[in-house]
C-alpha cells in the first residue's frame, strides 16, 4: 500500500493532490509541526533519517524528495497519465521542470524565508534575493504565456511539483506582477481532486484563501 508520510502545511500536499487525481488507494500517516519551532516531529526520522516530508513508502521502497515521489508514483501507478511518453522531447521538458522546482525555484524563496527572520530582516541580502525571485518567478510566469500547464499545455507531474512554488510565491514575494502564475494557482485550486486532497490532508495554509 502506498503511504504518504504527510506533514501539515508542507510540500507533501502536492503528493496528496496527485494521488487524488489518479484516484488510487493510498494511506496517509499524519505528522504535526512543532508549534514553536515549526519543525517536523522526531517520529518522522523513524521513517527516513532526514525527518522531512513528504516521504513515500511502498513495500520495500522508501522515497524522499517530492519530485522523485511524483515521478515514482507516475511510473508505477500512473498508467501513462500526467507524464509525456519517455523518449520524447516533451518527456525531457517534464523532467526539466520536475527538477527545476526544488533545484532552482525554491532556493530564493527559502532564502527570503530564512533571511527575513534575521534581526535586521537580512537587509543586505534582500536586493539580490529580489533579483533572483524576479528572475525565477518571471521565468515561470513567461513559460505559462498562452498556456494553462507547463508541458505541452497538458497537466503533468511537473505542474504538481510546481504548484507549491506558485502557492508560496505570493507570501514570500508579495506584490510581484505574475498574472500567469496567479492563474495557474487558481486553476489548480479549482480542481475537485485538489479540494479532496485538502480535506484529507488537514491544515494547509497555502491553499485557496
Ligand atoms: N526538497 C524536499 C524538501 C523537503 C522539506 O524540506 N520538507 C519540509 C516541509 S515543506 C519539512 O519537512 N520541514 C520540516 C523540518 O524541516 O523539520 C522535497 O521537495 O521533498
Amino acid at each position: 500500500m502506498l503511504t504518504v508520510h504527510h506533514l501539515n502545511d508542507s510540500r507533501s500536499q502536492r503528493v496528496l493532490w496527485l494521488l487524488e487525481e489518479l484516484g488510487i488507494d493510498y494511506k496517509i500517516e499524519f505528522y504535526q509541526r512543532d508549534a514553536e519551532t515549526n519543525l517536523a516531529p522526531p517520529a518522522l526520522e523513524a521513517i527516513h533519517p532526514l525527518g522531512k516530508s513528504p516521504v513515500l513508502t511502498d513495500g520495500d521502497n522508501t522515497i524522499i524528495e517530492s519530485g522523485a515521489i511524483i515521478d515514482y508514483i507516475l511510473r508505477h501507478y500512473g498508467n501513462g497519465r500526467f507524464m509525456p511518453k519517455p523518449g520524447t522531447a516533451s518527456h525531457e521538458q517534464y523532467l526539466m521542470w520536475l527538477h527545476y522546482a526544488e533545484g532552482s525555484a525554491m532556493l530564493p524563496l527559502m532564502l527570503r524565508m530564512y533571511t527575513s527572520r534575521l534581526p535586521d530582516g537580512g537587509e543586505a541580502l534582500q536586493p539580490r534575493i529580489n533579483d533572483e525571485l524576479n528572475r525565477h518567478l518571471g521565468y515561470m510566469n513567461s513559460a505559462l504565456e498562452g498556456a494553462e500547464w507547463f508541458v505541452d499545455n497538458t497537466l503533468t507531474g511537473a505542474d504538481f511539483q510546481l504548484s507549491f512554488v506558485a502557492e508560496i510565491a505570493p507570501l514570500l514575494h508579495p506584490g510581484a506582477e505574475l498574472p500567469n502564475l496567479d492563474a495557474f494557482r487558481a486553476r489548480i485550486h479549482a480542481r475537485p481532486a485538489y479540494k479532496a486532497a485538502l480535506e484529507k490532508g488537514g491544515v494547509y495554509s497555502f491553499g485557496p484563501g
Side-chain angles (χ1 to χ4, degrees):
M1 167 71 92
L2 279 176
T3 302
V4 182
H5 296 268
H6 174 72
L7 183 67
N8 62 300
D9 273 337
S10 85
R11 289 163 169 90
S12 62
Q13 190 63 42
R14 59 190 166 187
V15 176
L16 303 186
W17 171 36
L18 172 62
L19 290 164
E20 288 298 320
E21 292 276 357
L22 289 171
I24 56 182
D25 277 348
Y26 68 97
K27 199 171 98 186
I28 304 179
E29 290 288 345
F30 291 92
Y31 301 83
Q32 288 299 317
R33 288 181 184 270
D34 183 280
E36 256 176 51
T37 63
N38 213 31
L39 294 176
L44 200 46
E45 287 171 25
I47 308 302
H48 186 279
L50 288 179
K52 307 276 180 196
S53 176
V55 182
L56 183 79
T57 50
D58 183 26
D60 290 341
N61 291 316
T62 298
I63 318 280
I64 59 158
E65 280 303 325
S66 29
I69 290 171
I70 287 170
D71 195 53
Y72 176 92
I73 293 170
L74 291 178
R75 279 185 292 108
H76 291 268
Y77 300 95
N79 279 323
R81 293 187 70 197
F82 307 132
M83 183 197 270
K85 212 163 167 276
T88 62
S90 302
H91 190 81
E92 304 302 341
Q93 289 297 305
Y94 152 80
L95 287 177
M96 184 198 83
W97 283 112
L98 199 61
H99 288 274
Y100 172 79
E102 289 291 324
S104 291
M106 284 302 290
L107 177 64
L109 291 161
M110 292 292 97
L111 285 172
R112 166 58 52 79
M113 188 180 91
Y114 285 115
T115 55
S116 60
R117 291 179 191 167
L118 291 168
D120 68 346
E123 207 180 326
L125 288 168
Q126 295 311 333
R128 180 66 204 277
I129 293 172
N130 265 331
D131 284 352
E132 288 296 303
L133 285 169
N134 288 334
R135 177 176 294 262
H136 283 286
L137 299 175
Y139 171 58
M140 288 175 65
N141 189 66
S142 41
L144 286 170
E145 192 63 44
E148 297 197 340
W149 309 109
F150 279 89
V151 181
D152 286 348
N153 203 11
T154 301
L155 179 61
T156 71
D159 301 296
F160 292 88
Q161 180 70 346
L162 290 159
S163 64
F164 189 70
V165 177
E167 288 182 323
I168 64 166
L171 304 172
L172 293 164
H173 196 40
E177 283 267 316
L178 301 162
N180 301 331
L181 205 55
D182 293 343
F184 171 73
R185 186 174 55 250
R187 195 172 297 125
I188 289 168
H189 289 173
R191 292 181 73 85
Y194 182 92
K195 292 178 189 166
L198 270 188
E199 278 188 20
K200 292 206 177 151
V203 175
Y204 186 64
S205 311
F206 315 118

